[in-house]
Amino acid sequence: MRNTLKAATLESKFPLLSVEHDCIISKDADITVAFRVQLPELFTVTNAEYEAIHSAWAKAVKVLPNYSICHKQDWFIRENYEPDVKKDDLSFLSRSFERHFNERPYLNHTCYLFLTKTTKERSRRQSNFSTLCRGFIVPKEIQDKETTLKFLESVGQFERIVNDSGFIRLSKLTTDEIVGTPESAGIIEKYFALSQENTTCLQDISLAAEDMRIGDNVLCLHTLSDTEDLPSQVRTDGRYEKLSTDRSDCRLSFAAPVGVLLSCNHIYNQYLFIDDHTESLKRFEKQARNMHSLSRYSRGNQINKQWIEAYLNEAHSFGLTSIRCHCNVMAWSDDYEELKRIKNDVGSQLALMECKPRHNTVDTPTLYWAGIPGNEGDFPSEESFHTFIEQALCFFTEETNYQSSPSPFGIKMVDRLTGKPLHVDISDLPMKRGIITNRNKFILGPSGSGKSFFTNHMVRQYYEQGTHVLLVDTGNSYLGLCEMINRKTHGKDGVYFTYTEENPIAFNPFYTDDGLFDIEKRESIKTLILTLWKRDNEPPTRAEEVALSNAVSMYIDRLATDKIVPSFNTFYEFVGGEYRKILAEKQVREKDFDVANFLNVLEPYYKGGEYDYLLNSDKQLDLLSKRFIVFELDNIKDHKILFPIVTIIIMETFINKMRRLKGVRKMILIEEAWKAIAKEGMAEYIKYLFKTVRKFFGEAIVVTQEVDDIIASPIVKESIINNSDCKILLDQRKYMNKFDSIQALLGLTDKEKAQVLSINMSNHPSRRYKEVWIGLGGVQSAVYATEVSLEEYYTYTTEETEKLELFRLAEKLDGNIELAIKQLAESKRSN
């Protein structure tokens, strides 16, 4: 069947001539410079920062010459998350995380800025002079080279002013990014395809006013082009009620409702037309006089005269620059039912801005055509309204959705607004950029806030990226994860130490895989024996320290030459036999070093003694090579003998890793056990750890749930908090009334306080997650969601009933905990 509709080719109507020196040249001799804009992330900007951003835009716009156009174009495209499950090195849990988010819809935001130099004649043209209405476009030649050079110079100044603000980043687009390459589409091609994908297919365009189509997509357009449709007042930003409390404010830009908060495919165009300010004011003076002369015939003329005079008074009194402005929201869908919903959504979001929603069914093709990158000079002048630069800039969107870190190292978190997985680096990139000076972390969250869940999620990902992880816990929070790692690595990692009557904790502090005993190892052995020998209030004399040091050194030398089995038993026998004779030969007095007393006090740890198992383990386990170790201290945290010994061995294990594993990432995470450790004379270890670990590519993390613990402990206040540049807080709403003290203690800004108090305030009802605030050095902070797959949930869970169910199922499957997790997750998913 022959098509009888009148049609034209895109080439015949195409308004652009060429792209030269990264500038778009239109057939009407307009020059356009294009930028990609990087905006700050959603919910991370304060009122003062919005004011600073607005001020930077205003300063930048003022440097543009007369008859320039500033066009900001924000693309919001609905996309589905595509999991990366083809990697060979993905673990079972990482793969299940990726599958959990498969096809998760989210809104992708891309922002461009186009600065165009046009002419006085072009700026006054109306829609009937659009290139769409011409049969043939004759290209014009740029006559005034000097004007062009001045414009390009002002564009450079514009870019510098905005970039120097520190909040927004402009990156100039190259010729290839504008016109595309054989491998990827350029921005012009993307505009005609209504897509931001790299490979796009151009489709037929139907330019009917009421039903404009691009391929299968039907466009609907809402415009702000008349002062009658605008609110009585505009502002840089407003309070976002869903995430605000009576003690904190969450701020969003004034135009955010038609930006990231409008969840449909749409383009938000913002135009500023810089005309000749003096000429515009003269024209308004003339209009005011005309209205005055006609005011006796109509009250409307009298009111119009008053409005014009008020506008002129503002311009002259405050030195404001008169410009024209236009904004429009161009949304689309290939489904008519969805299009109806989108029209309502756009209208309601404009109403939130206190604007009158005006669905434009006449100028859609003209305004779409004027939105082509480089064709801003084709904009119909009757669609704009007069205002000042400062007021017009309030219609700019000033935030984008959450961005993934470019760093190869990091953890997977989730965007709190859309639920899209994000890659977040809270260790390496912030350190490289100077945002933090150490990788230490302080985690605070009340019981039930998801604290252990988050730490499980974090340490699992650190472990999978090659980190040596040592955990000190009181509560079996990491049992499931440790068991799974142990099963997966066939016992090479995933070592779990806990005390039971049947299987008490046992070590051999004298054993090393390679037989090397460096200074740190020797010192830790001496500290251990001193702890067994002397009470806290009974310091050793200098002579006793020397004698003990000699005993340890000689015993270690014997291990290298003689075939002695390294253990506390053989050390005890060495001191009672050979070393006693050496002391006798040296005539060391009993008051200087009482060997009999030494052996008597240490006898309980020798074979046959009450604690003979403690330091004589026959497993010959060297923890230096183990990458995931958990010490569960719940059963011995109040034991006066066992607890100090175990804590010394824990610290010795980590310090040994810290010193000897060169270029390997290390992490020690101390859960609530830090309270017990701090009581038993271990404060110096913690202080030393937090101050020194950064020099050895390591990080120390302390987790606590009670605010009072922080305030009461000088160790936490002085050593841990001051040496932890990364602070992680979970839901603090139960402490809202005393959060001011937490804020002062942790040194949080008002912006960070507002973010923390917004946690879990507006969670999506259909998603199961808890939010967490991460602050880096007081410079960078955001709230993320900890959302995981069912497989990860059952690995991390601390609920007693769920853990019992999991381990019973694992017993039936010959201890295969990974298979048990798979089956349990699958059964819950099907139910």
Side-chain angles (χ1 to χ4, degrees), residues 473-487:
D473 187 29
T474 55
N476 288 307
S477 301
Y478 304 94
L479 181 59
L481 181 58
C482 191
E483 286 287 328
M484 203 184 76
I485 290 172
N486 184 276
R487 176 85 183 187

Side-chain angles (χ1 to χ4, degrees), residues 282-312:
K282 281 182 182 176
R283 193 165 65 253
F284 279 123
E285 294 278 8
K286 185 178 178 182
Q287 281 182 7
R289 288 195 297 271
N290 289 341
M291 291 295 171
H292 179 68
S293 62
L294 296 169
S295 60
R296 60 188 295 179
Y297 300 109
S298 166
R299 187 171 295 276
N301 291 335
Q302 190 175 354
I303 292 168
N304 285 339
K305 174 230 174 190
Q306 290 171 0
W307 279 114
I308 293 169
E309 285 187 342
Y311 183 83
L312 290 167

Side-chain angles (χ1 to χ4, degrees), residues 146-260:
E146 189 179 340
T147 304
T148 302
L149 291 172
K150 282 184 179 177
F151 170 69
L152 294 176
E153 189 180 315
S154 67
V155 167
Q157 294 171 3
F158 187 104
E159 182 182 5
R160 180 70 181 270
I161 291 167
V162 173
N163 285 342
D164 283 351
S165 72
F167 298 104
I168 302 170
R169 188 82 198 157
L170 299 185
S171 308
K172 192 174 179 181
L173 295 181
T174 63
T175 300
D176 284 348
E177 289 174 308
I178 296 168
V179 299
T181 64
E183 293 78 31
S184 61
I187 57 167
I188 297 170
E189 191 176 344
K190 289 175 181 177
Y191 186 79
F192 280 108
L194 291 181
S195 169
Q196 284 294 308
E197 292 181 7
N198 269 331
T199 53
T200 57
C201 177
L202 293 181
Q203 301 173 18
D204 288 344
I205 300 174
S206 170
L207 295 174
E210 290 188 17
D211 190 10
M212 180 177 167
R213 290 171 169 271
I214 296 177
D216 293 329
N217 291 312
V218 182
L219 271 67
C220 73
L221 186 75
H222 287 76
T223 55
L224 296 176
S225 53
D226 195 324
T227 48
E228 291 181 3
D229 300 337
L230 303 180
S232 56
Q233 287 184 328
V234 290
R235 51 194 178 276
T236 57
D237 59 296
R239 178 180 158 101
Y240 186 58
E241 292 295 341
K242 285 185 179 179
L243 296 178
S244 298
T245 69
D246 57 345
R247 292 174 177 268
S248 63
D249 269 359
C250 177
R251 313 295 293 185
L252 285 178
S253 67
F254 178 69
V258 291
V260 286

Side-chain angles (χ1 to χ4, degrees), residues 220 333 335-346:
C220 73
S333 176
D335 178 23
Y336 273 102
E337 287 302 315
E338 188 187 20
L339 193 66
K340 285 180 184 177
R341 182 185 59 78
I342 287 173
K343 285 178 185 176
N344 292 334
D345 286 350
V346 176

